[in-house]
Amino acid sequence: MTTVVVVGSGIAGLTAALHASENGCRVTVVTKGALPDTNTRWAQGGIAAATSASDTVASHAADTFTAGAGLNDPAAVDVLVGEGPQRIAELVARGVAFDRAADGDFARGLEAAHALPRVLHAGGDATGAAIQTALGDAVRAAGIEVREHALLRDLSLTEGRVTGIELEDGERLDADAVILATGGAGQLYAHTTNPLGATADGIAAAIRAGAAVADLEFVQFHPTALAVGAPFLVSEAVRGEGAVLIDDTGRRFAFDSHPDGELAPRDVVARANARAMAAQGGRPVRLDATALGPERLAQRFPTIDAAVRERGLDWGREPIPVTPAAHYLMGGVVTDLDGRTTVPGLYAVGETARTGVHGANRLASNSLLEGAVFGARAGDAVARDREWPLAPAAPAVLTAPVGDAPAFSRARLQQLMWDDAGLVRDAAGLDRAAGILAGWRADSAPRGIEDDNLLLVAAHVVDAARSRTASVGAHFRADTGTATSAPLAAVAASAPPAREALAC
Ligand code: SIN
């Protein structure tokens, strides 16, 4: 019997675990928090799939390519949109109660860059929580072993093949295959919609094991995080329902950047917000949802409604302050369409993986779908794989001259990345960041595992961003001479207050 360790317990990891188990593998799910402590749990907008009579997978694919600036892998997009409806049916069968319209069909929301409403949701804006609960229950019911509060230290390798994992406390779990599903790297940034656990653990472990990574320059910044209190995502679905973005003068500015205004691709709207903030001295722009009215907002978006009210705001009556925040990593560990990485025995799924499906920028609500589709494929593949089809990659080499750096702290790292490898980048900032990161990495002072992971992945993000000198999708270079680069150059300086100033 094939033994499989799945690291991570969001939609991608639990789907992979269920499929591997249903295919006869003995599976252990390892997660550093409690089982439901995942990015998935916080997903609001929903899960995109062509499930209505008026929709087609070709339309969903076209929108995915447009959002991704055409850099998407066509085969991966075909798989995502083609297998999406089947995975939705599977989620329903596993107990996810997607919201329904009066006629009993799915209720479908509109989000940016989608040609039509195709985003299924549950509990209004609690889609991720509904999926997390259903999959967690299914994993428990299937008798899959779950190891909670167990932090991955590293992958175990024997003659170039992954043979298990090592935990923080030194315990080894042997396995025929390991599936990494640890999510992304939102905690690289001073402002993020991601929970504290998003520290790139799987990506870092894969890099240390010699796996190829790619597209790490493509970090998606969500346009609308609440700018009061801790950053909190205000779903794009709110704009899909009609909310608009205004500046200090009350002017709608999103149409200055794109004919689709507030529903343009996410990177475009995030930069439009940043530009408007820069023009008004760094003050957040405002999201005006008042036209929806307090009752509709509370009914359709109960989670956001509670978060807004907790902060003393009444979004049914007044516009609320919002700001861009790091949200999603398009790049990651290079995989084929079944999750196989370039290291034998190692798979990666969900945000940890780079299938190429998202290109340079992910389409809204394609991330839960990615987890369901590619998680299922990896869980199926792991049970049947006997040979390893991919050639091992040469370990990536990062070089940067060591620069003067203050003592390392997580907050300093996050501020450095926000300032120099954030929404807007240029060669001077990226070179500076590379030097500081090299200095921190050369320093042998002990750090925690998560900080080590963030530092390693930060160096790769900066390296990738230095290599890609032209702006595309979520990677915007202010030094490539585009028409919008001048006002955007002021964005970093006008960002919301840092958690801790970077003293260098
Ligand atoms: C949102 O609800 O705006 C986020 C959904 C996503 O990241 O696709």
Side-chain angles (χ1 to χ4, degrees):
M1 180 187 274
T2 305
T3 54
V4 179
V5 167
V6 177
V7 188
S9 57
I11 184 170
L14 295 190
T15 302
L18 285 162
H19 273 253
S21 169
E22 287 157 3
N23 280 294
C25 300
R26 195 170 77 233
V27 181
T28 304
V29 173
V30 173
T31 183
K32 67 179 176 181
L35 190 72
D37 291 346
T38 66
N39 275 358
T40 293
R41 173 182 162 202
W42 295 103
Q44 295 176 358
I47 180 165
T51 60
S52 76
S54 53
D55 200 1
T56 62
V57 293
S59 168
H60 188 186
D63 293 345
T64 300
F65 280 114
T66 303
L71 262 57
N72 321 59
D73 178 326
V77 174
D78 276 356
V79 164
L80 180 81
V81 300
E83 296 180 13
Q86 194 187 338
R87 296 283 82 86
I88 296 291
E90 181 176 303
L91 286 169
V92 171
R94 295 204 198 274
V96 180
F98 290 112
D99 296 332
R100 301 276 172 171
D103 64 1
D105 192 7
F106 291 127
R108 295 182 182 84
L110 179 66
E111 289 185 23
H114 286 273
L116 75 179
R118 65 162 69 91
V119 179
L120 310 191
H121 45 85
D125 59 1
T127 316
I131 290 173
Q132 188 70 52
T133 301
L135 293 183
D137 290 350
V139 160
R140 301 275 191 204
I144 293 172
E145 187 186 355
V146 177
R147 297 283 305 268
E148 296 176 293
H149 307 290
L151 176 60
L152 173 72
R153 175 182 293 283
D154 242 328
L155 295 159
S156 310
L157 286 154
T158 308
E159 293 172 2
R161 185 185 169 86
V162 166
T163 50
I165 63 169
E166 187 188 334
L167 299 176
E168 183 180 23
D169 63 4
E171 185 185 359
R172 271 189 57 130
L173 301 182
D174 293 331
D176 298 311
V178 172
I179 302 178
L180 296 172
T182 54
Q187 289 299 324
L188 280 179
Y189 288 92
H191 309 283
T192 178
T193 61
N194 291 189
L196 287 171
T199 52
D201 303 332
I203 298 172
I207 292 171
R208 287 191 292 268
V213 291
D215 288 353
L216 290 173
E217 67 274 36
F218 295 129
V219 179
Q220 182 174 83
F221 293 82
H222 197 285
T224 55
L226 270 174
V228 176
F232 189 87
L233 178 68
V234 181
S235 175
E236 201 157 82
V238 178
R239 277 173 281 131
E241 293 279 339
V244 299
L245 290 160
I246 55 174
D247 64 16
D248 270 359
T249 69
R251 193 177 81 85
R252 278 179 79 176
F253 55 82
F255 286 95
D256 300 350
S257 303
H258 196 282
D260 292 337
E262 286 88 355
L263 294 181
R266 203 170 268 179
D267 63 307
V268 176
V269 183
R271 285 194 297 273
N273 282 1
R275 197 176 301 115
M277 286 173 60
Q280 59 189 32
R283 286 183 299 286
V285 294
R286 285 172 298 149
L287 182 71
D288 187 350
T290 53
L292 278 74
E295 291 75 28
R296 171 93 181 117
L297 287 170
Q299 176 254 326
R300 174 69 177 84
F301 302 111
T303 314
I304 305 169
D305 190 65
V308 166
R309 289 182 189 287
E310 254 168 41
R311 288 162 173 77
L313 304 169
D314 182 354
W315 67 330
R317 297 200 164 72
E318 60 187 354
I320 51 171
V322 291
T323 179
H327 185 61
Y328 186 87
L329 186 59
M330 273 69 74
V333 185
V334 171
T335 71
D336 69 7
L337 299 179
D338 292 315
R340 299 179 194 95
T341 71
T342 54
V343 175
L346 182 65
Y347 300 71
V349 290
E351 196 174 348
T352 305
R354 182 274 182 199
T355 60
V357 72
H358 303 305
N361 185 33
R362 175 174 64 76
L363 180 67
S365 288
N366 266 358
S367 55
L368 289 177
L369 188 67
E370 171 193 25
V373 167
F374 291 100
R377 291 178 70 95
D380 293 342
V382 79
R384 60 172 195 266
D385 279 348
R386 295 290 173 266
E387 302 291 317
W388 201 258
L390 302 183
V397 181
L398 288 171
T399 50
V402 173
D404 284 342
F408 172 84
S409 75
R410 172 90 61 100
R412 284 193 173 124
L413 168 66
Q414 291 169 328
Q415 194 60 40
L416 178 73
M417 293 299 285
W418 182 262
D419 290 342
D420 290 340
L423 269 152
V424 180
R425 296 135 180 212
D426 61 26
L430 290 168
D431 289 350
R432 171 183 116 106
I436 292 173
L437 292 170
W440 282 336
R441 293 185 65 213
D443 181 356
S444 57
R447 284 181 293 264
I449 293 174
E450 291 174 319
D451 283 341
D452 271 340
N453 291 340
L454 284 170
L455 206 40
L456 176 59
V457 174
H460 279 262
V461 168
V462 168
D463 196 50
R466 291 167 86 202
S467 303
R468 191 180 287 277
T469 51
S471 298
V472 60
H475 173 65
F476 188 89
R477 294 279 305 236
D479 51 354
T480 54
T482 65
T484 53
S485 61
L488 269 172
V491 166
S494 66
R499 288 181 190 164
E500 181 187 339
L502 185 69
C504 59

